[in-house]
Amino acid sequence: MLPTTTCPRRQLLHAFFVRPRARLYSDSPSRHDSSPSSAESTSSPLVSSKTTQLPIIEIIKSSIYSLGDPDTAEPILRDISWTVHPHQSWAVVSAGYGASKRSLFKALTGGRRLHPNPPRGMFPFLGHRPPEKHVWFAGSLRGRNRGEFFDYTARYGALRDGDGRTLRESYFPDLVKHPESATRHHEEWRERRIARLQRLVEELQVDPLLDLPLVALSNGQMRRARFALALLLHPAVLIMDEPLTGLDVETRATLSDFLHRKHSSTEPDSPHIILGMRSKDPIPDWITHIALVTPDRVMYTGRKEQMLDLMGGQNRTEVAMPGQKVTPGERTLGFELVKIDDLSVSYGSREVLKSVSWTIRENSRWHLMGENGAGKTTLLAVLTGEHPQSFAQSQKLRLLGRPRGSWPTLQLNARIGRVSPELHAAFPRRHDMTVWDVIGTGFSGEFVPRGKMRVGLTLDTAQELEPGGVQERWRIRRVWEVLEGLGPRAWTGRSTDGEHSTSEDIAFAKRHFIDLTTGEQSMVLLMRALVGRPPVVFLDEVWTGMDEGMVKAVWRYLADGGGGLLPTQACVVISHWEDEVPWTRADGVRRLLLKDGVAKEVDP
């Protein structure tokens, strides 16, 4: 049975979010210091987890509290005991709503308080060295302080500006030749750094991507690039939360093998790696031990074989297994909502989409599949009108019965609901923005709450809604409905009886978006995508950070008759995995496979 420990140095979490070099999941690259005075050189002498006999982590019967809470408060996790030895390989797994591994990771990085403090400190192998210099967190806590972009379509700014900055120029400037002269010390340091970076880039199979524009890269490809940057900093301990989520089968296997090699390496500059996993994720073969965080606010630890037996009794998502003989369901399809006819998109000489044709009708349910880099992100951006080529190729793209060119993008935003990693990263984290505010922006698709009741303005004229009028009352009711169907009552498995604006819903609606966990933010952005009943909904990697209770609530809500989708709406889930799609063959789901830019409908 295990609890976790918190770092008494609160600057660590601050350092992670403020220092650009630690923001592994930022969608816009940081300007890394390329001088010898940067993190790599100031961390000398190198501290290694590979040459110690002391525990990497040691927590003895301690509880985790929010910063500022007294010892008499209810702990987030209680009576944790956890010792990580150098030869062990650990994964931390959440099981059910409220079982947040993030609380454990925040304790390890100074964002939660541990009491009592471990006698030898949380990281005995560090001695008296400050953890913030040697322990790094890499997860999906994107843009905690603010969105990466106010307008996240800035991802495509390179195309508009003719800039076309490449991955090499933006993320790996050290791999760009600098003709200017430098001191001998600087050159020696830079040569060592470049050699190490080149090895990381080759091992992570990033080298073929270096000279491609950022806009042409998928989320999975960008993630591999960020891993290379994180490892370049020589962390002694690297905590990686859900590093395999959202990756295709081949990339997942490649990255898992890479992490195993780095973790098991005896090289002094290789980190000790701790993984954060969802309970539904397959545990990598090289993991030897598991820490299971439960809804009861306790943590169990043990060897993988023992813990897998225990996890078998925990709540797990029920999915249709491949190979089962299921009679295909028939869906009554309605009007044509999206029609693509022979659409191609290129970045220079590289074809990303090749003669794609696809029709989406009312009441259809789709699963869009494809490897990382197959063109899914680009296709989604074309469909939502965010990609500049969606306007340029208007004759090949009809949205909601009209050519793309006849739709102002702002009007499309109100008629297409979506959740995506880009939107999650970009959404503003203003301190005064509440959950209600965020959901309310879904009626217009904007990022700024508007209107007296914070449920937006009229769609076509951008005027204030009539106070107490039909439209305002409908919008307010819809916010309460999505809070009931996808809010905390649904996460904890309690039945929703149609009673809106309960005290629990009200309390959650008043919370600030910036203070939510990543899973809670994902749920709120899903509510935002669904609140206005848009004709088309695109859900790209929608499960980011969600625990099992949240995933089950989404599945119930999106099921036929669950209240989340009407027969007049179409929904597309973008995922590498069948078990992440809420509908099965019996529900009439259809599947579109993108491979090397070519789209083909495949047998579900």
Side-chain angles (χ1 to χ4, degrees), residues 169-371:
E169 294 167 332
S170 300
Y171 276 74
F172 305 108
D174 286 312
L175 297 182
V176 179
K177 291 185 178 180
H178 297 284
E180 65 272 10
S181 60
T183 64
R184 179 180 176 182
H185 171 69
H186 182 278
E187 275 302 313
E188 291 176 352
W189 169 86
R190 187 168 178 272
E191 287 177 3
R192 292 195 302 269
R193 178 183 174 91
I194 290 176
R196 174 172 169 77
L197 179 56
Q198 191 64 56
R199 288 197 305 271
L200 290 171
V201 162
E202 291 173 358
E203 287 182 280
L204 283 165
Q205 300 180 11
V206 175
D207 46 326
L209 311 175
L210 288 174
D211 295 313
L212 296 177
L214 291 180
V215 69
L217 303 180
S218 70
N219 295 312
Q221 291 168 334
M222 293 297 294
R223 189 180 303 182
R224 301 204 313 260
R226 297 182 197 114
F227 286 157
L229 283 181
L231 291 167
L232 189 63
L233 299 172
H234 299 293
V237 177
L238 182 59
I239 303 167
M240 307 189 76
D241 193 19
E242 300 181 18
L244 307 179
T245 300
L247 301 179
D248 59 55
V249 177
E250 183 178 350
T251 304
R252 182 177 287 199
T254 298
L255 183 56
S256 178
D257 290 344
F258 172 80
L259 296 177
H260 182 205
R261 290 197 304 272
K262 289 300 175 185
H263 175 77
S264 58
S265 172
T266 57
E267 294 181 6
D269 60 355
S270 294
H272 188 102
I273 296 174
I274 296 174
L275 300 184
M277 310 286 292
R278 302 176 299 178
S279 62
K280 64 178 293 182
D281 292 334
I283 305 296
D285 293 339
W286 54 275
I287 292 296
T288 61
H289 292 73
I290 292 175
L292 182 66
V293 185
T294 74
D296 300 324
R297 301 190 178 190
V298 297
M299 190 168 87
Y300 300 96
T301 62
R303 294 195 60 84
K304 180 172 69 174
E305 298 76 14
Q306 301 169 318
M307 298 306 297
L308 288 177
D309 291 339
L310 177 61
M311 290 168 60
Q314 301 291 329
N315 292 331
R316 301 178 70 84
T317 304
E318 298 175 5
V319 299
M321 297 302 294
Q324 287 184 325
K325 293 184 178 181
V326 179
T327 303
E330 293 290 337
R331 303 190 70 87
T332 302
L333 303 182
F335 294 107
E336 179 183 285
L337 298 175
V338 175
K339 185 174 179 60
I340 302 176
D341 185 17
D342 196 31
L343 177 74
S344 297
V345 174
S346 299
Y347 302 124
S349 61
R350 182 171 183 257
E351 287 187 286
V352 180
L353 297 178
K354 305 173 184 178
S355 302
V356 172
S357 296
W358 189 18
T359 300
I360 302 174
R361 294 183 176 274
E362 289 179 336
N363 201 34
S364 60
R365 304 291 181 262
W366 285 90
H367 175 197
L368 177 58
M369 305 179 294
E371 297 178 354

Side-chain angles (χ1 to χ4, degrees), residues 478-489:
R478 280 295 299 150
V479 176
W480 290 124
E481 286 174 355
V482 295
L483 279 166
E484 178 193 19
L486 292 172
R489 286 189 290 161

Side-chain angles (χ1 to χ4, degrees), residues 20 43 59 96 107 113 149 163 187 212 236 239 251 277 312 314 340 409 433 494 500 531 562 572 583 590:
S43 60
I59 303 170
R113 185 173 65 84
F149 310 105
D163 181 8
E187 275 302 313
L212 296 177
I239 303 167
T251 304
M277 310 286 292
Q314 301 291 329
I340 302 176
T409 300
M433 183 177 283
R494 284 172 286 167
H500 304 324
V531 68
V572 180
W583 318 284
R590 303 172 69 179

